[in-house]
Amino acid sequence: MKRSIIIMAVILSMIGIMAFSLSTVNNHPNVTGETTQKIKKDSIASVKAFEQVYKVLMSPRCMNCHPSGDIPLQGDDSHLHEMYPKRGHDGKGVFAMKCANCHQPNNTPGLHAPPGNPDWHLPPADMKMVFQSKTAHELAKQLVNPKQNGNKSMKQLLEHADDGLVLSGWNSGEGRSQPPMSHAAFKKAWETWINTGAYAPKSK
């Protein structure tokens, strides 16, 4: 009888440990170190946040590298790039006219000189991620669609706010306008939009 009680106690202890382990996996960072993102859906807050995000994405510092065609845009008026470079398969230009020929790892000194980044490029030909002429509804839908956003998950979208090319929009060289809000404010709006459900504004 005593032995049966001991065995039963051991079994119950093992069940308790397993239940605690499962609870830990479901509520804390998993074995890969990724934290489960908690989404608290709020369509009003989400849409309001995206309206701020949209203003930045449609500014020249973002839209110039997300054109509807295969030639990047240039300047605060978003005219076609005067050198007429082409997107190319990987987004880095074609033949001898590569983006990196002029766009160095850092901004070139001087008024309206080429801005720089070690990975300067347009989105690739098979994932153009067009911003130009998109409504807020269309762009929000595009940004959360892995087939149109570069195969990014929600976690990767959150991280994208700190991507090097995104950050370069706030460090674009002498003579260029800045996005309509600080990077900190943009990031906060970006995270709020996603963490409240990534809702798209109504189509107009």
Side-chain angles (χ1 to χ4, degrees):
M1 182 70 177
K2 185 176 181 180
R3 184 178 178 184
S4 299
I5 292 173
I6 293 173
I7 293 172
M8 183 63 69
V10 170
I11 292 172
L12 290 173
S13 296
M14 290 178 66
I15 292 172
I17 291 170
M18 290 175 66
F20 176 80
S21 298
L22 286 172
S23 176
T24 300
V25 168
N26 289 333
N27 293 289
H28 295 280
N30 60 31
V31 292
T32 63
E34 293 182 358
T35 302
T36 301
Q37 189 65 44
K38 295 183 181 300
I39 303 294
K40 185 178 180 181
K41 291 190 175 183
D42 184 335
S43 61
I44 295 174
S46 190
V47 167
K48 185 176 180 180
F50 188 75
E51 288 171 352
Q52 298 302 306
V53 168
Y54 183 70
K55 291 176 183 178
V56 173
L57 301 186
M58 298 306 288
S59 74
R61 300 290 75 79
C62 290
M63 192 179 68
N64 284 359
C65 287
H66 290 268
S68 56
D70 287 326
I71 299 174
L73 308 177
Q74 188 178 43
D76 287 347
D77 62 352
S78 297
H79 59 269
L80 285 177
H81 197 299
E82 292 176 357
M83 300 296 289
Y84 291 98
K86 297 293 182 66
R87 183 188 303 272
H89 176 72
D90 60 0
K92 297 183 179 182
V94 296
F95 305 118
M97 189 176 283
K98 298 292 187 180
C99 299
N101 291 354
C102 295
H103 296 278
Q104 302 300 305
N106 298 295
N107 293 340
T108 301
L111 187 65
H112 301 300
N117 183 275
D119 192 32
W120 196 273
H121 66 279
L122 294 180
D126 62 353
M127 190 74 69
K128 292 185 178 182
M129 290 183 274
V130 174
F131 290 4
Q132 187 181 12
S133 301
K134 296 282 185 179
T135 66
H137 175 84
E138 291 169 337
L139 191 50
K141 288 289 189 181
Q142 175 179 298
L143 288 170
V144 297
N145 183 349
K147 294 181 179 180
Q148 294 182 295
N149 72 7
N151 301 307
K152 289 181 175 63
S153 65
M154 285 298 188
K155 180 177 182 294
Q156 290 169 321
L157 278 180
L158 284 167
E159 294 170 348
H160 192 64
D162 290 320
D163 177 83
L165 276 179
V166 172
L167 288 169
S168 71
W170 283 266
N171 179 33
S172 56
E174 188 180 353
R176 294 183 180 86
S177 67
Q178 295 289 302
M181 65 181 67
S182 69
H183 178 262
F186 166 74
K187 182 177 178 179
K188 182 179 179 180
W190 179 260
E191 291 176 340
T192 298
W193 171 57
I194 294 172
N195 289 334
T196 52
Y199 286 91
K202 289 184 178 179
S203 182
K204 295 180 180 179

